[in-house]
Amino acid sequence: MTKKKVILVAAAALFAVSGLTALPSGNITGGVGCIVVAAVCTYFGLKKKSAGKESENRTPAPAAASGGRVLDTIRTKVVGVTFNNEDGENRQDILSRMSGSEDITVEKYTYNGEPAAYVKWGDKVIGNLSAELAGDLARKYPKARYTAEILEISGGGGTDVRVQYRA
């Protein structure tokens, strides 16, 4: 469970307790309001992301509203998150400062003559797509642009992202 979800569930519990204590004292409006806020916090705190949670890694995707036609969508782990960047900054330190809602990008490059792809937050590299995946995608979609979204940052388990390939 991400930090954001834990905070939402904790807030829901506090609002629920406040609402339940307000009702017996005659504060009906405040009590019902707190219970409604608790329900909304619980809903968003326990709601799973609908996209990218399928049992298979690859899922067909509908056309996107902007940025070109979506060719494919995949959920994958970011690899190389334990390495330091060229400037010496540790990727784990970068990830520890992230909440999971940041905008990330995938940047294609060549490493030892083979296709590769950085996963970046701004100008900071947080890892790569696996060499096998980057190679497969470069062969299958050589001119595609990548967009990415963080699905989960987990200590010890890595970072899951959803990557879309656009025409």
Side-chain angles (χ1 to χ4, degrees), residues 25-141:
S25 67
N27 187 355
I28 304 298
T29 305
V32 170
C34 284
I35 291 172
V36 168
V37 171
V40 171
C41 288
T42 301
Y43 172 77
F44 285 109
L46 298 178
K47 178 180 146 186
K48 295 194 183 309
K49 285 193 175 187
S50 60
K53 292 288 184 182
E54 297 80 13
S55 60
E56 293 293 323
N57 278 348
R58 292 182 184 268
T59 57
S66 64
R69 184 174 58 91
V70 174
L71 301 171
D72 200 359
T73 300
I74 189 169
R75 177 187 175 134
T76 188
K77 287 213 179 283
V78 177
V79 300
V81 296
T82 58
F83 292 99
N84 289 339
N85 287 330
E86 290 179 6
D87 64 0
E89 188 171 20
N90 185 278
R91 294 175 182 176
Q92 291 288 299
D93 292 341
I94 297 169
L95 286 166
S96 71
R97 295 191 305 266
M98 298 175 72
S99 67
S101 62
E102 294 84 359
D103 291 330
I104 59 170
T105 58
V106 176
E107 180 182 305
K108 296 187 257 185
Y109 71 104
T110 302
Y111 180 75
N112 289 339
E114 295 294 323
Y118 287 126
V119 179
K120 296 176 106 177
W121 174 36
D123 62 345
K124 299 189 179 295
V125 175
I126 60 172
N128 291 301
L129 298 182
S130 71
E132 180 181 2
L133 178 59
D136 288 347
L137 295 174
R139 284 183 286 284
K140 191 172 179 182
Y141 306 117

Side-chain angles (χ1 to χ4, degrees), residues 61-72 143-145 147 164-167:
S66 64
R69 184 174 58 91
V70 174
L71 301 171
D72 200 359
K143 298 195 185 297
R145 294 182 323 273
T147 59
Q164 290 187 330
Y165 316 101
R166 298 176 184 274

